Amino acid sequence: MEKRISLECRGKDPAQVHELNLDNCRTVGEFEGLTEEFVNLTRLSVISAGLTSFKGFPGKSLTNLEKLDVSENRISNGLHHIQDCPRLTHLCLSGNKLKDLSVLEPLAKLEKLSHLELLNTPISELEKYRSQVFELLPQLKVVDGQDKEGNEAPSSDEEGEGEEGGGGEGDSQAVNGNSSKEVVDCEEDLEEEEISEGEEEEESGEEDDGPGLSALYGDGNLEDSEGDEDFNEDGVEPDDDHELDDSEDEVNQSELRGKKRKHEEEETG
């Protein structure tokens, strides 16, 4: 255990360490290396370490310890070693050899102790053991996940998340209220944009009603288009007098051809 503690400290002074995880470390059945220097330790976990007692536990020095987990060991007594941890709120003794309720009596001095776990111990096999534990330790709020009324209680981890989240239901409602307001504002903005776009489309439709004269006649104006009718395909303005002269010539030539044809008939006759 001493080597494991040294590794977990990672070169820090014991007074600077706030949490220690010594799960599955090797022990001789008791605490070794956990000195009185760990005065600021708040969490300690020693699961499945082969502990048989709390011998060597410096309870009087761990005045800031809040959570202690020694589950899955072979501890049967010696809880008086932890009765001097005034800030201890969570204690897990599950999976140990605690046979009688009397071994829990030293815990009565822990005024802030609110959560106790005793599953998989001989005590948990007793009939109505929870009610007996609550009677023995009235400061408790939760025993093995249930409160005094038998209701399911949140785990210690869930409670920690709620505290770190900063404020629980009130803050949650405030956040939800702000979110709802943001959604409403967003919807109003979208409606205003749709109305604005609809008005723009209507105005655009009025302006573009029909293909327009410019589209029909190209880039030129209407007057230029009408003026183009006075010119022929070669771009020359037609001459009305010239057309009349051509027509008279055709008539004269036709009369001459007729007279010539008559003269030839008389000679042949």
Side-chain angles (χ1 to χ4, degrees), residues 86-104:
R87 295 190 179 183
L88 191 65
T89 59
H90 294 68
L91 176 61
C92 182
L93 299 171
S94 299
N96 281 284
K97 306 297 182 180
L98 305 172
K99 297 180 180 181
D100 192 88
L101 286 170
S102 62
V103 301
L104 302 178

Side-chain angles (χ1 to χ4, degrees), residues 221-244:
N221 55 32
L222 180 60
E223 294 178 358
D224 293 340
S225 177
E226 292 176 348
D228 289 345
E229 295 179 357
D230 295 336
F231 296 88
N232 58 24
E233 294 180 356
D234 296 331
V236 180
E237 184 178 1
D239 188 351
D240 294 339
D241 295 338
H242 181 68
E243 289 178 359
L244 292 174

Side-chain angles (χ1 to χ4, degrees), residues 16 69 102 107 114 129 136 148 191 213-214 219 233:
Q16 297 177 319
D69 189 343
S102 62
L107 302 180
S114 59
Y129 79 95
L136 179 65
K148 294 180 180 180
E191 291 177 357
L213 296 176
S214 60
D219 296 334
E233 294 180 356

Side-chain angles (χ1 to χ4, degrees), residues 201-267:
E201 289 178 358
E202 290 178 1
E203 293 176 359
S204 176
E206 293 176 357
E207 293 175 357
D208 296 339
D209 190 14
L213 296 176
S214 60
L216 290 173
Y217 295 102
D219 296 334
N221 55 32
L222 180 60
E223 294 178 358
D224 293 340
S225 177
E226 292 176 348
D228 289 345
E229 295 179 357
D230 295 336
F231 296 88
N232 58 24
E233 294 180 356
D234 296 331
V236 180
E237 184 178 1
D239 188 351
D240 294 339
D241 295 338
H242 181 68
E243 289 178 359
L244 292 174
D245 292 342
D246 290 344
S247 179
E248 290 176 356
D249 290 343
E250 289 178 1
V251 172
N252 293 335
Q253 288 179 4
S254 178
E255 290 178 354
L256 290 174
R257 282 195 296 272
K259 289 179 180 181
K260 184 178 180 180
R261 191 179 296 110
K262 184 178 180 182
H263 179 68
E264 290 176 352
E265 288 176 357
E266 288 177 354
E267 286 182 353

Side-chain angles (χ1 to χ4, degrees), residues 17-62:
V17 177
H18 297 279
E19 297 184 13
L20 272 181
N21 186 328
L22 306 177
D23 297 349
N24 302 303
C25 69
R26 295 180 181 181
T27 69
V28 294
E30 59 187 44
F31 285 86
E32 299 175 300
L34 191 63
T35 66
E36 298 177 352
E37 298 175 290
F38 290 90
V39 293
N40 292 312
L41 193 65
T42 59
R43 295 191 179 194
L44 175 61
S45 180
V46 196
I47 301 173
S48 299
L51 294 172
T52 57
S53 71
F54 277 97
K55 185 178 179 180
F57 186 82
K60 292 182 179 181
S61 299
L62 304 182

Side-chain angles (χ1 to χ4, degrees), residues 2 42 54 60 67 151 159 161 166 171 176 189 191 228:
E2 290 184 19
T42 59
F54 277 97
K60 292 182 179 181
K67 294 186 178 182
N151 300 317
E159 286 187 346
E161 290 176 0
D171 290 345
N176 292 335
D189 292 340
E191 291 177 357
D228 289 345

